[in-house]
Amino acid sequence: NAGVMQNPRHLVRRRGQEARLRCSPMKGHSHVYWYRQLPEEGLKFMVYLQKENIIDESGMPKERFSAEFPKEGPSILRIQQVVRGDSAAYFCASSPPPSGRKGETQYFGPGTRLLVL
Amino acid sequence: GNSVTQMEGPVTLSEEAFLTINCTYTATGYPSLFWYVQYPGEGLQLLLKATKADDKGSNKGFEATYRKETTSFHLEKGSVQVSDSAVYFCALSDGRELSFGAGTTVTVRA
């Protein structure tokens, strides 16, 4: 059973370009979370999605950032017109549907390290 | 809102030393608590978790007990190895996203 897959692992963009980060959840997982890790900091929640639905995007910057999780294919985190401050590691996690308990474990991918020049 | 505060690092230890990393939390209700570990250049791996008060999570010699009265989930290991060098994150979940502490970098010297 493959784990959470993210690609690319490293992405270099110039200011003003677009960055697209992909995440394929673990088999059987229908819920995806995106987190951002700035240098020397912990992870900050960005967005929580299930298939074709955004459940919670309270951690997402209001502009330039968007996320989707289509019926077919991976989840995509899209950053338009990137700026230097977007340089960070972006991690995706997946979990099975919540069972009503609070203990569902999130499984993390290896991350995409975005560098904006 | 939910928040996690963990001991600041970096922490440097010799092999076979005792490791403890303090973690306290603020949350409404009864969250689940987690410790994740991040090795250099990699993603986060779940180390252990506890879902209710007085539960003890354990894995690879690491332990942490969910203490509701002190709102804490301190991580301990009795005898560390060089391979335990990593960044350790305490986190909580109220059923949706995880809220993370800032991470504690641990370096174990041979």
Side-chain angles (χ1 to χ4, degrees), chain B residues 48-106:
Chain B
L48 51 85
K49 72 176 188 180
T51 58
K52 61 183 188 298
D54 300 324
D55 266 3
K56 178 187 280 189
S58 61
N59 185 28
K60 298 182 182 179
F62 290 90
E63 290 184 342
T65 301
Y66 189 141
R67 301 282 187 207
K68 183 168 175 290
E69 63 276 13
T70 54
T71 61
S72 65
F73 194 53
H74 305 320
L75 182 69
E76 296 181 337
K77 184 172 184 178
S79 177
V80 294
Q81 301 167 2
V82 173
S83 57
D84 293 325
S85 298
V87 182
Y88 292 82
F89 293 95
C90 185
L92 72 81
S93 171
D94 59 3
R96 286 195 170 182
E97 71 267 17
L98 289 162
S99 297
F100 284 90
T104 302
T105 300
V106 173

Side-chain angles (χ1 to χ4, degrees), chain A residues 51-101:
Chain A
K51 289 280 186 184
E52 300 183 283
N53 257 331
I54 296 175
I55 307 298
D56 181 352
E57 57 182 347
S58 59
M60 196 90 109
K62 294 286 186 285
E63 297 177 350
R64 300 188 299 108
F65 285 72
S66 62
E68 63 177 8
F69 189 16
K71 187 176 179 182
E72 301 290 338
S75 175
I76 306 285
L77 179 68
R78 183 180 177 209
I79 312 172
Q80 295 178 290
Q81 299 175 314
V82 294
V83 301
R84 288 213 174 111
D86 296 332
S87 296
Y90 292 82
F91 290 96
C92 169
S94 74
S95 71
S99 62
R101 295 176 294 115

